[in-house]
Amino acid sequence: MKLIVLNAAEEQRENLLKAGADRVVMPLQNGSFTAAQEYPASSFNTPGTDILLNRFFFPSEQEELTELLHEAEELPAEDVYFADPAVISLASDKLKQKLVYHPDTLLTNSNDMSWWLARGIRSAVVSPLLTREETVSIIKACPACTVQIHGHTLMAESRRPLLSSYAPEKNLPGKRNLFLREEKRQERMPVYENEHGTLVYSDFELMSFREIRSFAEAGCTRFLINALFVPDDALADAVRAYRDILNGADALQAEKDCTEKYGYLPLGTGYYEEKTIK
Amino acid sequence: MKHVELLAPAGDLDRAKTAIRYGADAVYIGGQSFSLRSRASNFTDADIAEACAFARDYGASVHVTVNIIPHEDDLEGLERYLRFLQECGVKAVIAASPTVMRLARECAPEVEVHCSTQLSVTNAAAAEFLYRELGIDRVVLARECTLDDVKAITAASPVPTEAFIHGGMCVNYSGRCTLSNRMTLRDANRGGCAQSCRWMYHLYEGDNEITEEGRLLTMGSKDLCAADEIQGLLEAGVSSFKIEGRMKTEYYVASVVSAYRRLIDELEAGKIPDESRMAYHRKEILKGENRAVCDGFYKGCAGADSLITRANSDADVNHDFLGRVQSFENGTAVILSRNPIRVNEQIEVLSPGKENRVFAPAWLMDENGEYMEECRRPMTALRMPVPFETAADDIFRRFG
């Protein structure tokens, strides 16, 4: 069973591995689009470190992409998370075996998941927009999939500078403490802008203490925890709790402990119990 | 220069016929399952068959969107549906799910598979992958591509490219936005998009509000109008120019399609329009618009001037569509009215394949034979004298 912490910071890595994470995934400089800090290739030599290479690439960036793929292949990372099909298109056979397709919103059924897994990649990440039952169904059909179990989920990705377009004088790009609130709602959604565009994350921080064991029993062995906007201590505690549950600890007690200790966080069950409509 | 396909949207059979009559080489439509834009009227199986037959008569073709990102139980009946589309003579399905593409290849091998913009293809390597692994016949490029990107991708792509030239734009990468899912539980990737990006938002830095009172943040995009990029897109070798708007009216379809048809025909005939002629084309294209427009990403990354900074209001609604001709006999046309019309008002007539003509009716008469100075009631069967021949389905609009 692998607990994988996505969007981790370099300084969190040691603590997360000690807490029970098997891998930490850090954004590779120039190769990712995320609110997390990016790191140069030299930061990826530490054991247990995987690569986030998830941005879209445009024709003028072809050379840059080729270099990034070469770097990713040479680094000791086990897994490379990508979203642009150009990555798998240009990857060598060696790199292809490390690839994990992570398009955030697109993998919503077992047929598509099977198709991607049959492309010779390591894994692909199930969309977190699904009910518990839909997620289990995909896992049963495709046990090599990866499931996000904790943290904020990506809600929107734009190439446009949406924040600096609104308030150019405020110097908002790069700031990690910005939030949107829809005028009739109370929930706050983290929002981030950099040179690649703007990202909006879910107002809720997904938790799956009650679900992880049923996901594991269905066959899943790869669980993703998104570190973004989760305080260090809460993140490490979540990793510990999931590891303990996988080792037989009481899931309900783990959820109670977490929600009591971190009652100020927007912990929620996402779409597990809320089926979206067409 | 090869002939580029002008691909128009149609929310129902009537609009499909209108688009084809007014010069679309192809229309794209959605069936009642497996398609985004679930609030568009969408076509029954019988409608699809009729649209294909109608298109054939005009030498046009029908593309069908099968572009949902399906959940586990959304695929039931898909194979039957794909076979049915082939039997109807549908030219292409537009798909985003590898499963849909694969099944289309297996069940409907005579139907082309076009990769939807939902997959956000922004480079030729991605197109190459989808061609190699799924055998796609065409790729619809992401709306985030600049004109230079389109040129580079089209030159290197193993399959023809399709680019949007007009209509609504998602502010986010298509397929990667779930604002609607969260706000309304309506799944944007399964046709339920509530356009939550266009709502009003407060912006905070920590606990401090950045947004100013009376000026909240909205993420809505202006519509795309690529009139000025048509020549560049033609030179790039793009195979199909797509107009967005399956939710739009027959007036929008007729107006926008006929205006682009005229511009494209001129360019393909080697007539490079001067600035005054381009101003005319722009004006004609925008007559069907309700919203502010921008040139999207074609000139570079879309910035502040591509965004709508306020909520939509009734003031945005276009009231120029006066009605569609039902019949014409002995110099008198009967139209089904849509917006207020006055006696002696200048009216422009759009007729498929003809230059637009203008007249001013000397009288108006309702269905009860009553003369009137002004008709303000929509859907009135309104009679008026027209000094030239018109025909059923011609469009009357306010001139100016």
Side-chain angles (χ1 to χ4, degrees), chain A residues 71-171:
Chain A
E71 261 177 8
E73 185 178 322
E74 295 303 311
L75 288 167
E78 281 184 10
D79 295 348
V80 177
Y81 292 75
F82 76 103
D84 188 335
V87 170
I88 186 172
S89 186
L90 298 172
S92 65
D93 288 344
K94 181 181 164 192
L95 178 59
K96 203 180 281 182
Q97 293 166 15
K98 295 182 176 186
L99 293 180
V100 178
Y101 183 49
H102 185 21
D104 286 291
T105 54
L106 298 183
L107 280 178
T108 51
N109 67 82
S110 50
N111 288 283
D112 285 349
M113 177 62 76
S114 294
W115 186 87
W116 273 99
L117 294 176
R119 309 276 74 74
I121 60 177
R122 168 103 61 206
S123 183
V125 183
V126 178
S127 162
L129 299 168
L130 305 177
T131 63
R132 185 183 293 114
E133 290 71 29
E134 287 172 327
T135 307
V136 166
S137 174
I138 295 175
I139 294 168
K140 282 183 175 169
C142 310
C145 70
T146 302
V147 175
Q148 180 176 345
I149 53 168
H150 199 94
H152 291 266
T153 63
L154 184 65
M155 281 177 70
E157 175 175 359
S158 177
R159 196 185 181 193
R160 302 182 204 222
L162 298 177
L163 304 183
S164 49
S165 291
Y166 174 79
E169 73 288 358
K170 300 278 188 187
N171 200 21

Side-chain angles (χ1 to χ4, degrees), chain B residues 226-231 263 266-267 272-285:
Chain B
D228 291 320
E229 313 304 330
I230 295 297
Q231 191 174 346
L263 172 59
E266 281 182 22
L267 288 166
I272 307 299
D274 59 18
E275 186 41 48
S276 78
R277 186 66 181 162
M278 269 313 297
Y280 161 79
H281 284 303
R282 262 182 242 117
K283 189 177 173 192
E284 288 298 304
I285 288 166

Side-chain angles (χ1 to χ4, degrees), chain B residues 218-231:
Chain B
T218 171
M219 296 179 275
S221 172
K222 291 179 183 172
D223 280 12
L224 172 66
C225 173
D228 291 320
E229 313 304 330
I230 295 297
Q231 191 174 346

Side-chain angles (χ1 to χ4, degrees), chain B residues 61-349:
Chain B
S61 57
V62 174
H63 302 193
V64 176
T65 55
V66 191
N67 54 352
I68 59 165
I69 307 293
H71 287 204
E72 286 294 78
D73 51 5
D74 288 334
L75 292 165
E76 196 181 331
L78 177 61
E79 296 180 30
R80 181 210 65 81
Y81 182 61
L82 292 167
R83 286 191 196 96
F84 165 75
L85 296 181
Q86 177 169 282
E87 284 165 19
C88 289
V90 164
K91 179 186 175 186
V93 292
I94 304 165
S97 153
T99 301
V100 175
M101 296 188 205
R102 184 177 57 75
L103 286 174
R105 273 277 157 269
E106 285 173 20
C107 303
E110 293 164 26
V111 176
E112 292 184 8
V113 174
H114 296 179
C115 172
S116 165
T117 195
Q118 295 293 105
L119 285 191
S120 302
V121 170
T122 60
N123 56 67
E128 158 71 24
F129 172 74
L130 295 162
Y131 168 67
R132 196 170 64 224
E133 301 291 337
L134 288 160
I136 62 166
D137 298 284
R138 181 189 289 183
V139 61
V140 186
L141 299 180
R143 279 172 272 205
E144 284 75 11
C145 291
T146 64
L147 181 57
D148 285 344
D149 292 335
V150 173
K151 284 179 181 170
I153 298 168
T154 304
S157 169
V159 291
T161 58
E162 178 176 306
F164 281 90
I165 58 166
H166 198 89
M169 290 188 84
C170 291
V171 77
N172 297 305
Y173 284 101
S174 295
R176 313 292 169 116
C177 177
T178 62
L179 291 171
S180 170
N181 300 45
R182 181 60 183 156
M183 306 279 181
T184 66
L185 281 181
R186 282 163 49 175
D187 190 339
N189 284 337
R190 293 192 295 165
C193 181
Q195 302 199 329
S196 303
C197 60
R198 297 179 188 272
W199 298 358
M200 309 304 288
Y201 294 85
H202 295 267
L203 174 62
Y204 297 87
E205 181 170 2
D207 290 329
N208 299 320
E209 180 158 7
I210 290 176
T211 31
E212 299 156 10
E213 196 169 330
R215 194 177 80 92
L216 296 185
L217 184 151
T218 171
M219 296 179 275
S221 172
K222 291 179 183 172
D223 280 12
L224 172 66
C225 173
D228 291 320
E229 313 304 330
I230 295 297
Q231 191 174 346
L233 291 166
L234 282 169
E235 287 165 1
V238 172
S239 293
S240 179
F241 289 169
K242 187 175 213 159
I243 296 168
E244 185 278 345
R246 280 195 286 139
M247 308 279 286
K248 299 278 178 71
T249 64
E250 61 184 326
Y251 170 59
Y252 170 90
V253 170
S255 184
V256 175
V257 167
S258 59
Y260 274 106
R261 174 81 279 154
R262 208 171 289 128
L263 172 59
I264 292 165
D265 285 350
E266 281 182 22
L267 288 166
E268 287 189 334
K271 297 177 194 163
I272 307 299
D274 59 18
E275 186 41 48
S276 78
R277 186 66 181 162
M278 269 313 297
Y280 161 79
H281 284 303
R282 262 182 242 117
K283 189 177 173 192
E284 288 298 304
I285 288 166
L286 295 180
K287 280 181 177 173
E289 266 296 339
N290 280 324
R291 286 203 290 247
V293 297
C294 67
D295 49 23
F297 283 79
Y298 283 131
K299 287 191 170 74
C301 187
D305 59 359
S306 73
L307 297 168
I308 296 167
T309 53
R310 60 182 176 82
N312 284 340
S313 77
D314 288 345
D316 297 321
V317 176
N318 183 320
H319 298 288
D320 290 344
F321 179 30
L322 299 181
R324 194 165 76 162
V325 175
Q326 293 187 306
S327 63
F328 178 79
E329 203 173 343
N330 300 326
T332 300
V334 180
I335 71 164
L336 203 56
S337 72
R338 299 296 289 269
N339 280 298
I341 308 177
R342 281 178 292 105
V343 166
N344 286 328
E345 175 174 8
Q346 284 205 299
I347 294 173
E348 186 173 25
V349 181

Side-chain angles (χ1 to χ4, degrees), chain A residues 36-269:
Chain A
Q37 188 179 334
E38 298 176 9
Y39 295 93
S42 57
S43 295
F44 289 80
N45 287 311
T46 303
T49 312
D50 290 330
I51 297 170
L52 182 65
L53 185 70
N54 72 333
R55 76 176 175 91
F56 290 112
F57 294 88
F58 289 85
S60 61
E61 299 166 325
Q62 175 92 23
E63 230 172 82
E64 199 174 351
L65 173 58
T66 306
E67 280 172 27
L68 286 164
L69 295 179
H70 183 68
E71 261 177 8
E73 185 178 322
E74 295 303 311
L75 288 167
E78 281 184 10
D79 295 348
V80 177
Y81 292 75
F82 76 103
D84 188 335
V87 170
I88 186 172
S89 186
L90 298 172
S92 65
D93 288 344
K94 181 181 164 192
L95 178 59
K96 203 180 281 182
Q97 293 166 15
K98 295 182 176 186
L99 293 180
V100 178
Y101 183 49
H102 185 21
D104 286 291
T105 54
L106 298 183
L107 280 178
T108 51
N109 67 82
S110 50
N111 288 283
D112 285 349
M113 177 62 76
S114 294
W115 186 87
W116 273 99
L117 294 176
R119 309 276 74 74
I121 60 177
R122 168 103 61 206
S123 183
V125 183
V126 178
S127 162
L129 299 168
L130 305 177
T131 63
R132 185 183 293 114
E133 290 71 29
E134 287 172 327
T135 307
V136 166
S137 174
I138 295 175
I139 294 168
K140 282 183 175 169
C142 310
C145 70
T146 302
V147 175
Q148 180 176 345
I149 53 168
H150 199 94
H152 291 266
T153 63
L154 184 65
M155 281 177 70
E157 175 175 359
S158 177
R159 196 185 181 193
R160 302 182 204 222
L162 298 177
L163 304 183
S164 49
S165 291
Y166 174 79
E169 73 288 358
K170 300 278 188 187
N171 200 21
L172 299 174
K175 289 187 175 172
R176 295 188 169 85
N177 61 340
L178 303 175
F179 301 90
L180 289 175
R181 180 175 67 78
E182 198 275 322
E183 65 174 334
K184 297 190 178 85
R185 291 168 171 75
Q186 292 306 312
E187 299 81 10
R188 303 200 321 166
M189 301 173 287
V191 59
Y192 176 78
E193 178 188 314
N194 70 10
E195 72 276 16
H196 299 305
T198 308
L199 299 165
V200 182
Y201 292 90
S202 63
D203 54 288
F204 63 88
E205 183 183 321
L206 178 68
M207 61 174 178
S208 308
F209 298 111
R210 294 174 189 227
E211 286 78 15
I212 187 170
R213 195 173 289 141
S214 61
F215 291 166
E217 284 166 3
C220 185
T221 61
R222 299 172 55 92
F223 301 101
L224 210 58
I225 294 167
N226 193 346
L228 278 175
F229 310 110
V230 182
D232 285 357
D233 53 346
L235 184 63
D237 279 348
V239 170
R240 261 188 291 274
Y242 287 116
R243 177 59 66 200
D244 289 346
I245 294 169
L246 288 172
N247 289 334
D250 183 348
L252 293 179
Q253 186 61 45
E255 181 184 288
K256 185 166 176 281
D257 292 346
C258 183
T259 51
E260 279 179 7
K261 185 172 179 184
Y262 299 106
Y264 62 94
L265 294 176
L267 288 158
T269 53

